[in-house]
Amino acid sequence: MTILDIPRAEPPLDGHTPDGDPATAWHRAKLHYKQVSPLNRRKFTIVVVGTGLAGSGAAAALGELGFNVVAYTFHDAARRAHSVAAQGGINAARGRKVDGDSLDRFVKDTVKGGDFRAREADVFRLAEESVRVIDHMDAIGAPFAREYGGQLRTRSFGGVQVSRTYYTRGQTGQQLQVAAARTLQRQVAAGTVELRTHREVLDLVVTDGRVRGVVARDLRTGAIEVQAAHAVVLATGGYGKAFFHSTLAHNSNVSAAWRAHRRGALFASPSYLQFHPTALPVSSQWQSKTTLMSESLRNDGRIWVPKKAGDDRPANDIPEEERDYYLERKYPAYGNLAPRDISSRAAREQIEAGHGVGPLKNSVYLDFRDAIQRLGKKIIEQRYGNLFEMYADCTGEDPYTVPMRIAPGAHFSMGGLWSDYDMQTSIEGLFVGGEAGWGYHGANRLGANSLLSACVDGMFTLPHTIPNYLAGHLNEPLLADDDPAVTQTVADATGRLEALLAVGGKTGSDRFHRELGEILYRGCGVARSKGGLAQAIDEIRDLRHRFWSDLRVPGTGRELNQELEKAGRVADYLELAELMCVDAYDRDESCGAHFRVDHQTPDGEALRDDRNWCFVSAWEHTPGTLGQPGMPVRHHEPLTFAAVPLQTRNYQ
């Protein structure tokens, strides 16, 4: 079994957070940012990779400001980005309802929900801009639910005791993405944004520590193209699909971010991976992904298991006194709206103790019986109708009459490329937005903060910070296609494709991906141990060796070849997975979604170690042989909390 000797780097990283009160940091930063005059903006070219809420928002805003923008997506249209999959809502401290919500309460909930492993000043920016996000999305056509008098309606999400989540039934991400994609298409029509579809970014051109462009592959023809740029934005989403069975779409991947990491961008907290407590359970061997059921369902649904282990009676045959509403019992102040990390661990405990339900005994019940009796079926249908329809389509069961079955599933990555307060990575000129970054969520994301963070990054942060960077590079030419840095990057990207095609083995990439997911769920899942992580690292290294010796990719690289696309993404997951386990092995504490069984309180809650671990780990890639990277170097950025003092999380 591996015992890791992990090199550490000094001095600490500088996040370039403005000094002073974190509540006013964003206002002061914007006041001192450099500007690019309107007549000079057209001299700059910016590449935006990804067209979800963060990517579409950034490309549209920068295009409207007058910059030349080239936007890349591997989809056939911008609106198909994975932001459409978010269901329940988007948070904002805007409503000021009688429940006493405020900007300060938003910050407290988010910092506490992330178990004090986020950058506090970033969270203040998230809260401040949340008000503008809702007004902006409402103005560009997002059909938010409304009260009878016309005001926007809100509901609650996990980890909060107020109603701050704006929503469009169970289709919030879809409706926001449609609105954002329309603003992007408006700039495409205006000529300020060039949208390149069916393209996958394979690598970044980096020279002298600065990004100068991207190398992409046309997925229809296999042609390799280069786009030079003065700045690059990666808004490519999260890496939860490394677990194979996840709530993410099959095309979701880490490859562009991982290319940046291999070129020098630090990767922050890769082990912080959220398991959503209301995913549909895996029910058979052939199942290729899990399906997300919105956390908003926990507003009215009650979660329970049979009190008697091994009870296999139908749910409706189990009387009330023989049901254990375990979240309401353990966390009475929050009940079924306990944060996701806590709810997922509680479900796992019940399942492993023999109280799981369903054919494979791997789920718990989410029951709407009481809500339907109290409110009526019509109200529940108005709030969650499309989600109930989706559940019925997936399972063949009617959730109006039979409790839903749910289970924790790999979902959202709080880790991502490390960036400073301006959202610039450790590579000069390379910026990150949305789930591809790390800043807001700490070790556990509160529900409905995902759509918000993507919108804040793309629409209201990067349009300020990128011009501040570009102002110092006026009149600099783009790199020529024959520049040595460009030709070498093209050769590297092409060589990697050829290496995948040349393995000549017998096993498809899906088989390796599925096995990787089993290793990660077992060794780096809802609960982790030092021994289990060390074993997972050994298993991943062995699997990666088998991948590079037995991979089969039919066809060539000069045509549409989806097997080649998948193989490249799985190769990157096989490297990322080791870093995830190394990070979890190294972080000798429990915090949020990173739960080490050797660091827990007597009643089974996560036990932080603020004296030794109150920092974000940011990992530096070290080269190795093909598919076998060297041992990464850990950098760290200390975290301080002025407005929300360090405290033990308590949701009871």
Side-chain angles (χ1 to χ4, degrees):
M1 184 177 294
T2 295
I3 298 177
L4 299 183
D5 182 16
I6 299 171
R8 279 115 169 137
E10 294 289 348
L13 293 169
D14 183 358
H16 301 118
T17 303
D19 294 331
D21 186 355
T24 61
W26 183 228
H27 171 76
R28 289 181 283 113
K30 289 189 292 183
L31 186 64
H32 293 99
Y33 281 152
K34 300 173 185 176
Q35 301 289 323
V36 177
S37 71
L39 293 179
N40 285 328
R41 292 172 189 168
R42 65 174 67 98
K43 299 177 182 178
F44 290 105
T45 296
I46 303 169
V47 166
V48 178
V49 186
T51 58
L53 282 174
S56 286
L62 291 165
E64 191 156 359
L65 286 172
F67 294 98
N68 293 316
V69 180
V70 180
Y72 281 91
T73 177
F74 54 58
H75 297 289
D76 60 352
R79 63 184 291 174
R80 294 192 184 276
H82 195 59
S83 295
V84 301
Q87 298 166 342
I90 176 171
N91 283 338
R94 171 185 179 276
R96 309 295 200 276
K97 299 182 75 168
V98 293
D99 56 13
D101 199 10
S102 65
L103 291 177
D104 290 339
R105 184 176 291 277
F106 180 106
V107 172
K108 179 180 179 181
D109 288 341
T110 300
V111 170
K112 176 184 173 184
D115 217 355
F116 296 89
R117 293 297 178 259
R119 191 188 283 142
E120 190 178 49
D122 286 23
V123 179
F124 268 103
R125 179 173 63 202
L126 185 73
E128 180 180 339
E129 294 292 2
S130 70
V131 178
R132 295 178 62 197
V133 166
I134 300 301
D135 291 339
H136 175 73
M137 298 307 297
D138 185 39
I140 64 174
F144 288 118
R146 294 182 180 271
E147 304 285 0
Y148 178 75
Q151 292 182 321
L152 300 186
R153 176 179 291 176
T154 58
R155 57 190 177 197
S156 297
F157 256 62
V160 304
Q161 293 177 308
V162 295
S163 180
R164 70 163 66 106
T165 305
Y166 296 79
Y167 66 97
T168 64
R169 297 182 76 192
Q171 304 174 347
T172 312
Q174 178 180 344
Q175 297 301 328
L176 297 188
Q177 177 64 32
V178 168
R182 280 201 301 260
T183 66
L184 175 62
Q185 291 297 150
R186 179 173 176 268
Q187 294 307 310
V188 171
T192 63
V193 176
E194 179 185 353
L195 178 62
R196 296 181 183 174
T197 61
H198 297 289
R199 305 297 208 286
E200 182 165 34
V201 170
L202 299 179
D203 214 335
L204 281 75
V205 180
V206 178
T207 178
D208 297 325
R210 179 182 168 197
V211 70
R212 302 302 300 274
V214 299
V215 175
R217 179 174 181 267
D218 187 323
L219 298 180
R220 295 164 297 188
T221 66
I224 301 295
E225 64 183 49
V226 176
Q227 176 58 56
H230 295 97
V232 174
V233 177
L234 292 183
T236 51
Y239 50 84
K241 194 61 184 173
F243 284 74
F244 188 77
H245 284 125
S246 82
T247 64
L248 278 71
H250 276 293
N251 273 342
S252 297
N253 64 83
V254 76
S255 288
W258 196 249
R259 297 295 99 205
H261 175 59
R262 290 178 65 95
R263 290 292 177 187
L266 301 179
F267 208 105
S269 305
S271 65
Y272 290 172
L273 195 291
Q274 183 174 82
F275 296 86
H276 201 295
T278 53
L280 297 188
V282 175
S283 57
S284 65
Q285 179 69 25
W286 52 262
Q287 189 168 325
S288 61
K289 72 180 298 294
T290 55
T291 300
L292 174 65
M293 300 305 296
S294 169
E295 182 177 305
S296 63
L297 294 168
R298 295 198 279 152
N299 273 280
D300 290 304
R302 300 180 70 192
I303 296 173
W304 63 276
V305 293
K307 288 183 178 180
K308 179 183 176 182
D311 192 337
D312 58 1
R313 288 176 292 174
N316 290 335
D317 291 348
I318 301 176
E320 184 70 15
E321 62 272 13
E322 296 181 31
R323 301 180 178 193
D324 180 11
Y325 297 92
Y326 58 89
L327 288 177
E328 299 174 27
R329 170 173 55 82
K330 296 182 66 175
Y331 310 102
Y334 286 77
N336 297 295
L337 286 175
R340 291 178 177 178
D341 59 326
I342 289 174
S343 300
S344 291
R345 284 199 299 275
R348 171 186 165 274
E349 290 170 0
Q350 295 295 327
I351 293 168
E352 292 188 349
H355 297 274
V357 300
L360 301 182
K361 304 297 183 183
N362 62 347
S363 53
V364 299
Y365 287 127
L366 178 60
D367 196 342
F368 287 84
R369 181 198 63 182
D370 294 346
I372 291 172
Q373 290 176 354
R374 184 179 72 254
L375 301 171
K377 180 179 177 181
K378 183 176 181 181
I379 296 297
I380 298 301
E381 187 175 7
Q382 288 174 349
R383 293 177 179 177
Y384 313 111
N386 65 301
L387 297 173
F388 277 45
E389 291 171 6
M390 183 171 67
Y391 182 87
D393 288 341
C394 290
T395 66
E397 298 176 354
D398 179 9
Y400 291 104
T401 58
V402 178
M404 292 182 178
R405 288 182 292 108
I406 57 172
H411 178 55
F412 186 92
S413 46
M414 284 78 66
L417 293 179
W418 180 86
S419 59
D420 64 11
Y421 186 72
D422 293 344
M423 310 207 70
Q424 185 171 208
T425 70
S426 50
I427 297 177
E428 185 182 349
L430 178 63
F431 294 80
V432 64
E435 195 178 349
W438 76 278
Y440 302 111
H441 308 299
N444 173 63
R445 175 177 68 84
L446 291 186
N449 270 354
S450 174
L451 293 176
L452 176 63
S453 60
C455 290
V456 168
D457 288 350
M459 300 171 187
F460 297 112
T461 302
L462 292 170
H464 288 286
T465 62
I466 292 176
N468 174 60
Y469 164 76
L470 292 176
H473 298 279
L474 184 63
N475 294 323
E476 287 187 2
L478 295 172
L479 285 188
D481 287 351
D482 60 355
D483 186 277
V486 174
T487 56
Q488 182 60 55
T489 306
V490 171
D492 292 344
T494 303
R496 186 172 177 82
L497 294 175
E498 292 173 348
L500 291 166
L501 289 163
V503 174
K506 298 180 180 180
T507 306
S509 60
D510 270 352
R511 184 72 61 85
F512 292 106
H513 194 182
R514 189 181 289 268
E515 187 173 343
L516 175 63
E518 293 171 356
I519 294 171
L520 287 176
Y521 266 111
R522 183 171 60 248
C524 196
V526 176
R528 295 115 185 239
S529 68
K530 198 157 194 172
L533 288 162
Q535 181 177 342
I537 292 169
D538 286 340
E539 291 175 345
I540 291 167
R541 289 173 175 173
D542 175 69
L543 180 63
R544 202 164 53 217
H545 175 76
R546 287 189 281 123
F547 175 89
W548 284 106
S549 60
D550 192 38
L551 173 70
R552 177 180 182 271
V553 180
T556 72
R558 298 177 298 279
E559 60 188 352
L560 174 68
N561 190 338
Q562 293 182 316
E563 290 301 313
L564 179 59
E565 298 168 31
K566 288 192 290 186
R569 296 165 187 171
V570 173
D572 291 329
Y573 279 140
L574 286 166
E575 295 184 15
L576 166 68
E578 180 175 334
L579 184 60
M580 292 172 64
C581 294
V582 168
D583 184 46
Y585 181 99
D586 179 62
R587 181 161 288 271
D588 200 19
E589 67 163 353
S590 290
C591 57
H594 169 61
F595 185 76
R596 285 271 296 265
V597 296
D598 47 336
H599 295 287
Q600 56 182 307
T601 64
D603 55 353
E605 302 298 336
L607 185 62
R608 290 197 325 265
D609 180 359
D610 293 327
R611 167 176 284 187
N612 297 305
W613 292 96
C614 194
F615 59 81
V616 56
S617 298
W619 296 90
E620 175 188 347
H621 174 76
T622 57
T625 60
L626 181 65
Q628 303 291 340
M631 180 57 66
V633 178
R634 192 197 74 196
H635 299 254
H636 72 285
E637 178 192 344
L639 298 172
T640 58
F641 299 92
V644 188
L646 285 164
Q647 58 191 266
T648 300
R649 291 169 88 202
N650 185 352
Y651 291 95
Q652 297 179 348

